[in-house]
Amino acid sequence: LSCRWLKSPKFAVMASLGAEVASMTRDTAEWKKRCAMEAMRLADFETAAAEVQRAIFLDRKRSDLFQLQGDILLHLGDVKAAQSSFQKSVMLDRSSASSTRRLVWVTVVEGLREMKGGEFHAAMTRLRHVEDNGVALYLQAVCEARRDNAEARDRALRLVDKCIALDPSCADAFVLRGHLCLSMGNRSEAKSAYWRTFELCPNHPHVQGFLAQLQKEATKLYEAAFACVFKHEHDRALDCLAEALDAAPKHPQALLLQACLRRRLGRFESALGDLEYCSSFCRADLRPQVLRQIALTYHSMSKAFFEIGQFQNALTAASEALTYDVSDHAMFVSRGDAYLELADFEAAVHDFRSALALNGEGQQIKGRLAKAHHCLGASFYNSGMFEAAVVELTQALQHAPETEVLYLHRGHAFMHVHAEEDAYRDFQKVAALRGEHANFGVALQAQFEPQARMAAVVGQPVRPSLSRHPIPIDRLLRKMEDIRQQCFRD
C-alpha cells in the first residue's frame, strides 16, 4: 500500500509543494538575515535580535545565523546568551574559524568577569575548556597563583610557560613568571623574566621597582670594582663587574670598565664583545666613550701583534683602530711602525707626519719620521735614484740633525750626482761628530769599500747593499787627495 502511495500522483504533487515551501523558507531566512544586518548597521540591536531570531526559526541548520545572533547579543551585553549562540554555531560548522574565535573570546571574557567577582574556581572550570589560547592560560595561571601553596605555584608556572610559548610577546606573563620565581626562591630566573618584560614594555608598572633595585645593586658593585682598579686588584674588580652585570646586564658603565680591564689583560676579543653589546643600547652621550674604548682595544691588539713579529696583523689592527679614532697620535705611530717593518716606507712617512701634526713636540715621533725618510732614501739610493735619495735624506736630517749616518749616506748620494762640495761638507760633519779630523781620510776611505752597506739605522741594515752602485775608485781617490790637503792646511 505504501509503495502504491509513493507512486501515486498525489504524492508527487505534495513533494513538489514541499520543495517549493523549503526553498521559500530558505529565501525568507536569508531576507531576515539581511534585515538583521541592516538593523545592526543602524545600531538598532533590538530589531536586529528579533529579525535574526525569525531567521533561525525558519532555518535552524545555518551556522552563520547563530554567529550573527551571538554578535548582536554581545552588543546588547548578554555575554552568556552570546556564548550559547557561538557554541551552536561551532557545533553546526566546526571548520568556522570566525565562530571559534568568538567563542574563545566570549569564554575568556566571562572567565575574567568571574575572576573579578572572586569566583576563581568557576573561572578555572570555564577557562579549562579553551585550548591553545595564551590569554586563557595566563588567567588560569593567575587563578592557581592565588592559592598560595607550593603545588599551586608549580601548576601556575607550568601554565605561564605554556602561555609564553604560545605568545612570547605577552609582558604580563613574564611579570607573573617573575613573581612566581621570586616566591620559589629562584632569583636568577626572576631577574631574567623581569628584564624580558622590560624589553617588551619598558614602562610596565610591575617591573619598575624591581629593576630600580637591581640598578642600585649594580651601581654599588661597579663602584667597588672601580676602587679595586686603583688598588691594582684586577681579578677582584672583574668579579665585582660580573656580579654587577648579572644584576643589570645593560649597565653601560660596568660594561665599559670590564672592557677596559679585559683590554689591559690582553683579552681583546672579550673586550670587543662587551663594547659591541654596550654600543647597541647605550645613550648618545656615552657613545663617544664606547668608540674610544673600541679604538684603544684595537690599538692594544696592534701593539701585541707587533711585539711578537706579526707585522701584517699589527697593521690591520692599527688601521681598524684609526677608523674609530683619528685624534690619537699614538695610533698613527703604531701603524707607521708596522709599515716600516713591512718596508712600505712612503706609507710610514705619511703616518708619522700625521702623528707629528697631532703632537708636534714628540721627539720619539721625529726620530721615527727621520728613520722612515732614511729608509726611503736608502731604498732610492740602492735603486739608483740618487737625486730622490738626497731629498729623502735631507728631510731625515731636518728631524734628526745630529745623526752621523744620515750625513754619511747623503754624502754618498751627493757624490753620485757629482755634487762633491756638498758631499765634502757632509763628510766633514761626520768627522766632526766622530771627532776624527786627524784620520779623516782613512775613515772616509773605509766608508767607501765595495763591501759597505747602507744601513737605515744602526743595527738594522736595509736590503739591498750599497755595493750595487759603487763610486768609481779613481774619482774617489782624487777627491780623497783634495780632502787630505784641506786637512793638512787646517
Side-chain angles (χ1 to χ4, degrees):
L1 181 62
S2 61
C3 288
R4 287 197 300 270
W5 164 249
L6 291 175
K7 295 179 181 180
S8 66
K10 289 184 178 181
F11 178 78
V13 172
M14 293 181 65
S16 177
L17 289 173
E20 291 181 8
V21 170
S23 177
M24 291 175 61
T25 301
R26 287 194 296 271
D27 292 342
T28 305
E30 182 64 26
W31 178 66
K32 290 294 181 183
K33 176 186 175 182
R34 292 178 184 151
C35 291
M37 293 176 68
E38 180 63 21
M40 279 186 71
R41 190 181 66 82
L42 299 173
D44 185 1
F45 299 111
E46 296 288 347
T47 302
E51 292 293 342
V52 79
Q53 183 61 44
R54 294 188 186 102
I56 289 172
F57 178 77
L58 292 171
D59 191 352
R60 303 185 64 85
K61 293 183 179 181
R62 287 182 59 176
S63 170
D64 58 330
L65 294 178
F66 284 103
Q67 179 179 313
L68 179 60
Q69 185 184 46
D71 291 340
I72 295 169
L73 291 171
L74 282 178
H75 282 289
L76 292 172
D78 192 347
V79 179
K80 286 187 176 180
Q83 183 179 9
S84 176
S85 295
F86 290 136
Q87 285 176 339
K88 291 175 182 177
S89 175
V90 172
M91 288 176 64
L92 289 170
D93 184 7
R94 295 191 178 277
S95 63
S96 175
S98 58
S99 296
T100 303
R101 284 197 302 270
R102 286 172 169 80
L103 177 60
V104 169
W105 185 82
V106 169
T107 304
V108 169
V109 170
E110 190 64 17
L112 184 59
R113 184 189 64 78
E114 291 172 342
M115 288 175 65
K116 289 182 177 179
E119 302 175 13
F120 294 100
H121 181 73
M124 280 288 295
T125 302
R126 183 182 299 278
L127 293 168
R128 283 196 183 105
H129 296 291
V130 180
E131 297 179 356
D132 297 332
N133 182 267
V135 178
L137 289 167
Y138 169 74
L139 293 176
Q140 291 179 63
V142 171
C143 293
E144 290 285 4
R146 288 186 64 86
R147 297 185 181 183
D148 199 21
N149 60 69
E151 293 182 359
R153 283 195 293 269
D154 288 338
R155 289 194 297 269
L157 189 60
R158 288 195 294 272
L159 286 167
V160 81
D161 285 341
K162 289 181 181 179
C163 170
I164 291 171
L166 287 173
D167 185 7
S169 63
C170 183
D172 289 329
F174 283 102
V175 171
L176 179 57
R177 193 177 197 285
H179 290 338
L180 290 169
C181 290
L182 273 183
S183 65
M184 298 167 70
N186 193 341
R187 185 178 174 82
S188 176
E189 289 290 329
K191 286 191 292 186
S192 176
Y194 286 130
W195 277 113
R196 180 58 180 156
T197 306
F198 180 78
E199 293 173 1
L200 293 170
C201 183
N203 297 320
H204 198 291
H206 291 285
V207 298
Q208 290 301 311
F210 183 79
L211 294 181
Q213 182 62 33
L214 289 179
Q215 199 74 9
K216 288 181 181 179
E217 293 179 12
T219 301
K220 288 181 179 179
L221 289 164
Y222 162 74
E223 292 172 352
F226 204 82
C228 291
V229 171
F230 281 102
K231 299 176 184 177
H232 302 286
E233 299 175 355
H234 292 163
D235 290 336
R236 174 58 183 157
L238 286 173
D239 290 339
C240 290
L241 290 171
E243 294 180 26
L245 292 171
D246 181 61
K250 291 188 175 182
H251 195 290
Q253 288 84 2
L255 282 168
L256 283 172
L257 183 57
Q258 181 171 264
C260 181
L261 286 172
R262 286 176 168 175
R263 170 172 61 83
R264 291 183 181 180
L265 296 173
R267 305 173 190 174
F268 303 121
E269 295 297 331
S270 299
L272 289 173
D274 290 338
L275 294 168
E276 182 180 2
Y277 178 59
C278 185
S279 66
S280 66
F281 65 83
C282 70
R283 303 188 309 270
D285 60 325
L286 287 176
R287 188 161 185 79
Q289 296 183 39
V290 176
L291 296 179
R292 172 65 175 165
Q293 287 297 323
I294 293 174
L296 289 173
T297 303
Y298 277 115
H299 186 208
S300 298
M301 289 176 65
S302 175
K303 291 193 290 186
F305 282 131
F306 191 89
E307 289 176 359
I308 60 175
Q310 296 184 14
F311 304 121
Q312 186 60 54
N313 289 336
L315 174 62
T316 302
S319 298
E320 193 69 23
L322 285 167
T323 62
Y324 292 94
D325 187 0
V326 293
S327 63
D328 192 338
H329 70 278
M331 296 179 187
F332 282 104
V333 170
S334 293
R335 190 170 71 171
D337 288 341
Y339 276 131
L340 205 57
E341 293 295 335
L342 294 170
D344 190 347
F345 304 129
E346 292 186 15
V349 167
H350 180 271
D351 275 353
F352 291 142
R353 283 178 178 171
S354 299
L356 194 62
L358 293 170
N359 183 14
E361 300 301 321
Q363 292 301 319
Q364 292 184 349
I365 300 175
K366 291 181 179 180
R368 283 179 165 86
L369 188 54
K371 178 180 177 180
H373 280 297
H374 189 189
C375 290
L376 188 56
S379 67
F380 285 146
Y381 182 97
N382 293 329
S383 300
M385 302 168 63
F386 303 114
E387 291 181 355
V390 168
V391 173
E392 293 299 328
L393 292 167
T394 301
Q395 293 190 43
L397 283 166
Q398 291 176 359
H399 301 291
E402 298 299 318
T403 307
E404 68 171 76
V405 70
L406 295 178
Y407 288 104
L408 182 63
H409 289 174
R410 192 175 67 169
H412 293 186
F414 274 137
M415 294 191 72
H416 276 285
V417 296
H418 308 294
E420 285 83 1
E421 294 301 325
D422 292 324
Y424 175 68
R425 283 192 293 270
D426 279 352
F427 295 145
Q428 274 190 320
K429 185 66 175 179
V430 173
L433 291 172
R434 291 183 177 180
E436 297 178 352
H437 282 288
N439 299 314
F440 181 52
V442 178
L444 181 60
Q445 186 178 10
Q447 291 295 335
F448 282 96
E449 290 296 328
Q451 293 81 12
R453 296 168 62 90
M454 178 175 282
V457 290
V458 176
Q460 294 188 11
V462 174
R463 300 173 297 273
S465 70
L466 180 63
S467 58
R468 284 190 181 183
H469 303 282
I471 297 175
I473 193 64
D474 54 346
R475 186 159 55 87
L476 174 61
L477 292 175
R478 288 196 300 271
K479 188 62 182 177
M480 286 178 63
E481 183 62 32
D482 294 340
I483 294 172
R484 284 196 189 93
Q485 292 176 6
Q486 180 67 33
C487 289
F488 291 141
R489 285 198 297 270
D490 292 342

Short mmCIF file of all heavy atoms in Angstrom, two decimals, residues 335-355:
data_model
loop_
_atom_site.label_atom_id
_atom_site.label_comp_id
_atom_site.label_asym_id
_atom_site.label_seq_id
_atom_site.Cartn_x
_atom_site.Cartn_y
_atom_site.Cartn_z
N ARG A 335 100.77 52.33 13.56
CA ARG A 335 100.61 51.87 12.18
C ARG A 335 101.86 52.21 11.36
O ARG A 335 102.27 51.42 10.48
CB ARG A 335 99.37 52.49 11.54
CG ARG A 335 99.04 51.87 10.20
CD ARG A 335 97.70 52.28 9.68
NE ARG A 335 97.68 53.68 9.24
CZ ARG A 335 96.66 54.24 8.58
NH1 ARG A 335 95.59 53.51 8.30
NH2 ARG A 335 96.72 55.50 8.22
N GLY A 336 102.47 53.36 11.63
CA GLY A 336 103.71 53.70 10.94
C GLY A 336 104.82 52.71 11.22
O GLY A 336 105.59 52.34 10.32
N ASP A 337 104.93 52.27 12.49
CA ASP A 337 105.93 51.25 12.83
C ASP A 337 105.71 49.97 12.03
O ASP A 337 106.66 49.35 11.55
CB ASP A 337 105.87 50.95 14.33
CG ASP A 337 106.44 52.09 15.17
OD1 ASP A 337 107.18 52.91 14.61
OD2 ASP A 337 106.14 52.14 16.38
N ALA A 338 104.41 49.58 11.90
CA ALA A 338 104.11 48.37 11.14
C ALA A 338 104.48 48.54 9.66
O ALA A 338 105.06 47.64 9.04
CB ALA A 338 102.64 48.01 11.28
N TYR A 339 104.13 49.70 9.11
CA TYR A 339 104.51 49.96 7.70
C TYR A 339 106.02 49.92 7.53
O TYR A 339 106.54 49.41 6.54
CB TYR A 339 104.00 51.34 7.29
CG TYR A 339 102.56 51.37 6.82
CD1 TYR A 339 101.65 52.30 7.32
CD2 TYR A 339 102.10 50.48 5.85
CE1 TYR A 339 100.34 52.35 6.89
CE2 TYR A 339 100.79 50.51 5.40
CZ TYR A 339 99.91 51.45 5.93
OH TYR A 339 98.62 51.48 5.50
N LEU A 340 106.75 50.46 8.52
CA LEU A 340 108.20 50.49 8.44
C LEU A 340 108.77 49.08 8.40
O LEU A 340 109.68 48.78 7.62
CB LEU A 340 108.75 51.27 9.64
CG LEU A 340 110.12 51.94 9.50
CD1 LEU A 340 110.13 52.90 8.32
CD2 LEU A 340 110.48 52.65 10.79
N GLU A 341 108.25 48.20 9.26
CA GLU A 341 108.74 46.83 9.29
C GLU A 341 108.38 46.06 8.01
O GLU A 341 109.08 45.13 7.62
CB GLU A 341 108.18 46.09 10.51
CG GLU A 341 108.68 46.62 11.84
CD GLU A 341 110.18 46.41 12.00
OE1 GLU A 341 110.71 45.48 11.36
OE2 GLU A 341 110.81 47.17 12.75
N LEU A 342 107.27 46.47 7.38
CA LEU A 342 106.85 45.82 6.14
C LEU A 342 107.46 46.49 4.91
O LEU A 342 107.08 46.18 3.78
CB LEU A 342 105.32 45.84 6.04
CG LEU A 342 104.58 45.00 7.09
CD1 LEU A 342 103.09 45.29 7.05
CD2 LEU A 342 104.83 43.51 6.88
N ALA A 343 108.40 47.42 5.13
CA ALA A 343 109.14 48.11 4.07
C ALA A 343 108.25 48.97 3.19
O ALA A 343 108.58 49.24 2.03
CB ALA A 343 109.93 47.11 3.22
N ASP A 344 107.11 49.41 3.71
CA ASP A 344 106.28 50.37 2.98
C ASP A 344 106.63 51.75 3.54
O ASP A 344 105.91 52.34 4.36
CB ASP A 344 104.79 50.05 3.19
CG ASP A 344 103.90 50.87 2.26
OD1 ASP A 344 104.41 51.82 1.64
OD2 ASP A 344 102.70 50.55 2.16
N PHE A 345 107.76 52.28 3.09
CA PHE A 345 108.34 53.46 3.72
C PHE A 345 107.52 54.72 3.47
O PHE A 345 107.41 55.59 4.33
CB PHE A 345 109.78 53.64 3.24
CG PHE A 345 110.65 52.45 3.49
CD1 PHE A 345 111.41 51.89 2.46
CD2 PHE A 345 110.69 51.85 4.74
CE1 PHE A 345 112.20 50.78 2.69
CE2 PHE A 345 111.50 50.74 4.97
CZ PHE A 345 112.25 50.20 3.94
N GLU A 346 106.94 54.84 2.27
CA GLU A 346 106.14 56.04 1.98
C GLU A 346 104.92 56.11 2.89
O GLU A 346 104.56 57.18 3.39
CB GLU A 346 105.73 56.04 0.52
CG GLU A 346 106.89 56.23 -0.46
CD GLU A 346 106.42 56.38 -1.89
OE1 GLU A 346 105.21 56.61 -2.09
OE2 GLU A 346 107.26 56.27 -2.80
N ALA A 347 104.23 54.97 3.10
CA ALA A 347 103.07 54.95 4.00
C ALA A 347 103.51 55.27 5.43
O ALA A 347 102.80 55.95 6.18
CB ALA A 347 102.39 53.59 3.94
N ALA A 348 104.68 54.76 5.82
CA ALA A 348 105.20 55.05 7.16
C ALA A 348 105.45 56.54 7.33
O ALA A 348 105.10 57.14 8.36
CB ALA A 348 106.48 54.26 7.41
N VAL A 349 106.05 57.17 6.30
CA VAL A 349 106.28 58.62 6.37
C VAL A 349 104.97 59.37 6.53
O VAL A 349 104.85 60.30 7.34
CB VAL A 349 107.02 59.08 5.09
CG1 VAL A 349 106.99 60.60 4.98
CG2 VAL A 349 108.46 58.59 5.10
N HIS A 350 103.94 58.97 5.78
CA HIS A 350 102.63 59.63 5.86
C HIS A 350 102.05 59.53 7.27
O HIS A 350 101.55 60.52 7.83
CB HIS A 350 101.68 59.02 4.84
CG HIS A 350 100.32 59.63 4.84
ND1 HIS A 350 99.30 59.18 5.67
CD2 HIS A 350 99.81 60.68 4.15
CE1 HIS A 350 98.23 59.91 5.47
NE2 HIS A 350 98.50 60.82 4.55
N ASP A 351 102.12 58.33 7.87
CA ASP A 351 101.55 58.15 9.22
C ASP A 351 102.35 58.92 10.27
O ASP A 351 101.77 59.54 11.18
CB ASP A 351 101.50 56.66 9.58
CG ASP A 351 100.25 56.00 9.05
OD1 ASP A 351 99.38 56.72 8.53
OD2 ASP A 351 100.14 54.76 9.15
N PHE A 352 103.66 58.92 10.15
CA PHE A 352 104.47 59.66 11.14
C PHE A 352 104.25 61.17 11.01
O PHE A 352 104.26 61.89 12.01
CB PHE A 352 105.95 59.31 10.98
CG PHE A 352 106.29 57.90 11.38
CD1 PHE A 352 107.22 57.15 10.66
CD2 PHE A 352 105.68 57.31 12.47
CE1 PHE A 352 107.54 55.85 11.04
CE2 PHE A 352 105.99 56.01 12.85
CZ PHE A 352 106.91 55.28 12.13
N ARG A 353 104.03 61.63 9.79
CA ARG A 353 103.70 63.05 9.63
C ARG A 353 102.36 63.38 10.28
O ARG A 353 102.20 64.44 10.90
CB ARG A 353 103.68 63.41 8.15
CG ARG A 353 105.05 63.57 7.53
CD ARG A 353 104.95 63.89 6.05
NE ARG A 353 106.26 64.10 5.45
CZ ARG A 353 106.45 64.21 4.15
NH1 ARG A 353 105.42 64.13 3.30
NH2 ARG A 353 107.67 64.42 3.67
N SER A 354 101.38 62.48 10.12
CA SER A 354 100.08 62.69 10.76
C SER A 354 100.22 62.72 12.28
O SER A 354 99.61 63.54 12.97
CB SER A 354 99.11 61.58 10.35
OG SER A 354 98.90 61.58 8.95
N ALA A 355 101.04 61.81 12.81
CA ALA A 355 101.27 61.78 14.26
C ALA A 355 101.96 63.07 14.72
O ALA A 355 101.61 63.63 15.76
CB ALA A 355 102.11 60.57 14.63
#
